[in-house]
């Protein structure tokens, strides 16, 4: 009789002692076998592994105590029922069990799910092996032995998540904070967290200065500005948390945003009710916009720095996305902390760079005004890798007899010391030029005076005296790159200027050279930042400058812009200064 026909309580019924007493007068071999049965039964009941025997229809005929403890179901409740009937939360492949019944090959299975018994693990898992039971040529059923591996599985899952987290943070280090611009850094952060952490994200910063076109915030209210958003263009501009860049939002003291900034701790609103959303979004209309696009969970993470947060990062999940986990919040905090350093550095750089440029403009002041028959255009581009002023300067001075003096100079080095020295050079040259002396005498006197007052930074300089009445231009140089004449009907011409030593050396020996200057010809003077390139020698860079195809007949401003576009790519290691001049047509 097979398992499926035998009475339920006769298989492994637990009547070992009664069986032994009945066999007291039996042959010794039968008594020994009964003792073996008891020993095997004790092994099955005492092992920590879950053991179950099923018939051909996969109904339980026996489970041991370990199986009952793991499942939280008494052993008797299993008998005559299938796994799906006893433990519906367990996932196990019935197809594989039937394959074992069919071919007799033992197989290992991974069984997962939940049971009635309490467990410290998020997801329970067992490793099980099933064998076919046979009697002669008849198949009786299956025997399954399983051990729980939930702890190992959870450890492996945690380890994998930790690796993914580290990989995410490593990737963020290369993609967030690639520039010294606040807007770009915030955009990189928003783009990175969507969709890796959220369906929508917005970066808000605390503005250090109030906007001129907005009324000041109420007392106790903190004003923030949207700098970047990612994901969900359908709500851009409709609501503050997902608004376009430039939108301002006032956060009162009782708002989650303000609490996040004040405490430095994240605020988590998983599956938030309308009342909770209303507390954060402030208006019912904003709540309705959130619900329209399916947003159900929000996390607000501060962007912390050593002194105070520079803003907040909003993360939103919508639709079928799961709510945020504790691990999601931790990852968001780490990303925000790293990004906050880059944002703060970018903000500090912008502030210092702006101050430096203002100082540079103040030291340079406005160039003088040439005579009406000479038009000029100029550009000054500071070196892009530092927020420091430099030593470049240029000037344009109207002199007696209708002449105009064009000046281009470059003090050695960078920083405030070079800028102060530049201001002294410029003031002295203006004073000497007013005397009406020839250009070579101006350089000679400037060289001597600068050396005598002990300025420790030398400077290169180029003077060009434009005489519209004579149609000439007289040059004198002090170690400066040569000027270029851009002709409308001929190739550009590199002017050979007799060059002397830099100013401030007290070596003297300056000479002048005079060339004709036609009304449509453009005189271009520049500093070495325009032509210096590690990939080319100086001669190659000068040839490249003279071989440019430019519209000389157009506006000078457009010509100077074209030169900068064609020759300056990205950041430069030195300041770039240009001064273009052209005689006006009669």
């Amino acid at each position: 009789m097979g398992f499926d026909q035998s009475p339920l309580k006769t298989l492994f019924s637990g009547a070992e002692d009664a069986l032994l007493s009945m066999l007291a007068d039996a042959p010794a071999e039968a008594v020994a076998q009964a003792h073996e049965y008891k020993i095997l039964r004790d092994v099955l009941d005492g092992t920590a592994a879950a053991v179950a025997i099923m018939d051909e229809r996969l109904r339980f005929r026996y489970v041991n105590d370990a199986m009952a403890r793991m499942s939280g179901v008494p052993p008797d409740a299993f008998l005559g029922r299938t796994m799906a009937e006893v433990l519906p939360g367990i996932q196990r492949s019935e197809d594989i069990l039937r394959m074992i019944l069919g071919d007799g090959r033992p197989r290992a299975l991974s069984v997962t799910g939940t049971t009635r018994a309490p467990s410290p693990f998020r997801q329970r898992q067992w490793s099980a092996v099933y064998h076919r039971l046979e009697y002669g040529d008849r198949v009786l059923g299956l025997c399954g032995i399983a051990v729980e591996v939930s702890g190992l599985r959870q450890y492996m899952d945690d380890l994998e998540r930790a690796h993914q987290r580290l990989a995410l943070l490593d990737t963020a280090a290369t993609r967030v904070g690639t520039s010294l611009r606040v807007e770009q850094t915030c955009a990189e952060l928003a783009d990175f967290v969507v969709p890796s952490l959220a369906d929508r994200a917005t970066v808000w910063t605390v503005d250090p200065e109030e906007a001129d076109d907005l009324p000041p915030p109420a007392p106790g209210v903190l004003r923030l500005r949207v700098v970047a958003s990612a994901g969900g263009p359908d709500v851009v501009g409709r609501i503050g948390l997902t608004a376009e860049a430039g939108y301002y939002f006032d956060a009162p003291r009782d708002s989650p945003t303000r609490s996040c900034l004040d405490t430095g701790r994240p605020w988590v609103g998983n599956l938030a009710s309308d009342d909770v959303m209303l507390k954060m979004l402030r208006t019912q209309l904003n709540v309705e916009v959130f619900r329209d696009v399916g947003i159900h969970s929000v996390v607000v993470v501060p962007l912390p720095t050593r002194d105070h947060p520079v803003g907040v990062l909003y993360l939103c999940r919508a639709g079928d996305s799961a709510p945020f986990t504790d691990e999601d919040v931790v990852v968001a905090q780490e990303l925000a902390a790293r990004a906050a350093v880059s944002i703060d550095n970018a903000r500090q750089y912008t502030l210092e760079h702006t101050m430096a440029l203002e100082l540079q403009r103040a030291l340079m002041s406005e160039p003088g005004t040439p005579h009406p028959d000479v038009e000029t255009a100029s550009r000054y581009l500071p070196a892009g890798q530092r927020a420091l002023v430099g030593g470049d300067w240029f000037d344009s001075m109207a002199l007696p007899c209708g002449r105009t003096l064009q000046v281009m100079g470059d003090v050695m080095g960078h920083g405030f010391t070079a800028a102060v020295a530049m201001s002294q050079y410029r003031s002295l040259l203006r004073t000497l030029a007013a005397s009406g002396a020839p250009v070579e005498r101006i350089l000679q006197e400037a060289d001597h005076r600068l050396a005598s007052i002990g300025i420790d930074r030398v400077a290169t300089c180029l003077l060009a005296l434009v005489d519209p009445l004579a149609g000439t231009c007289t040059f004198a140089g002090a170690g400066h790159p040569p000027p270029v004449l851009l002709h409308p009907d001929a190739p550009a011409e590199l002017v050979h200027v007799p060059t002397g030593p830099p100013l401030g050396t007290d070596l003297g020996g300056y000479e002048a050279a005079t060339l004709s200057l036609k009304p449509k010809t453009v005189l271009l003077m520049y500093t070495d930042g325009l032509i210096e390139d590690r990939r080319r020698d100086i001669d190659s860079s000068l040839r490249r400058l003279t071989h440019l195809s430019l519209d000389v007949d157009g506006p000078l401003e457009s010509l100077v812009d074209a030169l900068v576009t064609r020759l300056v790519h990205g950041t430069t290691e030195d300041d770039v200064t240009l001064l273009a001049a052209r005689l006006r047509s009669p």
Side-chain angles (χ1 to χ4, degrees), residues 12 23 30 53 118 126 153 247 265 281 292 307 330 361 365 384 428 443 449 451 461 555 558 586:
F12 298 139
L23 295 175
I53 294 178
W126 295 265
R153 181 69 265 168
Y247 181 93
R265 296 192 296 269
L281 301 177
D292 285 346
D307 298 325
V330 171
R361 294 188 185 100
S365 71
L428 178 59
L443 292 181
R449 291 194 188 187
C461 184
S558 300

Side-chain angles (χ1 to χ4, degrees), residues 16-31:
E16 304 94 310
D17 294 334
L19 178 62
L20 288 172
S21 63
M22 289 176 8
L23 295 175
D25 298 328
E29 182 178 351
V31 174

Side-chain angles (χ1 to χ4, degrees), residues 246-285:
Y247 181 93
Y248 284 86
F249 178 78
D250 291 338
R253 292 190 182 278
D254 62 344
S255 68
T257 301
R258 186 64 180 275
S259 174
C260 180
L261 287 166
D262 291 342
T263 64
R265 296 192 296 269
W267 181 87
V268 181
N270 274 330
L271 304 176
S273 65
D274 285 355
D275 291 338
V276 173
M277 285 287 192
L278 182 61
K279 187 175 182 180
M280 180 181 65
L281 301 177
R282 315 306 297 173
T283 71
Q284 186 63 38
L285 176 61

Side-chain angles (χ1 to χ4, degrees), residues 19-90:
L19 178 62
L20 288 172
S21 63
M22 289 176 8
L23 295 175
D25 298 328
E29 182 178 351
V31 174
Q33 289 179 348
H35 279 289
E36 289 177 1
Y37 168 82
K38 185 177 188 309
I39 292 172
L40 291 175
R41 176 61 190 264
D42 290 341
V43 170
L44 290 177
D45 287 344
T47 181
V51 180
I53 294 178
M54 294 166 283
D55 60 24
E56 289 184 274
R57 288 190 282 178
L58 303 181
R59 295 176 304 177
F60 288 105
R61 309 296 294 184
Y62 164 81
V63 296
N64 68 350
D65 291 339
M67 179 80 169
R69 288 192 301 271
M70 288 182 185
S71 63
V73 177
D76 291 345
F78 282 88
L79 301 181
R81 303 169 68 190
T82 65
M83 178 72 82
E85 294 170 337
V86 182
L87 296 172
I90 294 295

Side-chain angles (χ1 to χ4, degrees), residues 86-165:
V86 182
L87 296 172
I90 294 295
Q91 291 81 48
R92 182 185 65 179
S93 175
E94 303 291 329
D95 291 339
I96 294 181
L97 297 185
R98 291 189 173 87
M99 290 171 61
I100 300 171
L101 286 171
D103 59 24
R105 290 174 49 204
R107 288 177 175 84
L109 293 183
S110 179
V111 181
T112 61
T114 57
T115 65
R116 299 181 188 178
S119 173
F121 304 110
R122 296 186 296 268
Q123 177 80 0
R124 301 190 74 178
Q125 182 169 345
W126 295 265
S127 179
V129 177
Y130 287 88
H131 299 262
R132 189 172 73 177
L133 299 177
E134 304 171 0
Y135 183 73
D137 57 355
R138 289 188 308 163
V139 175
L140 301 180
L142 296 176
C143 175
I145 303 173
V147 292
E148 187 166 8
V149 292
S150 303
L152 178 61
R153 181 69 265 168
Q154 182 167 308
Y155 170 78
M156 296 300 294
D157 290 344
D158 291 343
L159 187 62
E160 178 62 23
R161 279 191 291 270
H163 287 163
Q164 293 175 352
R165 173 176 165 185

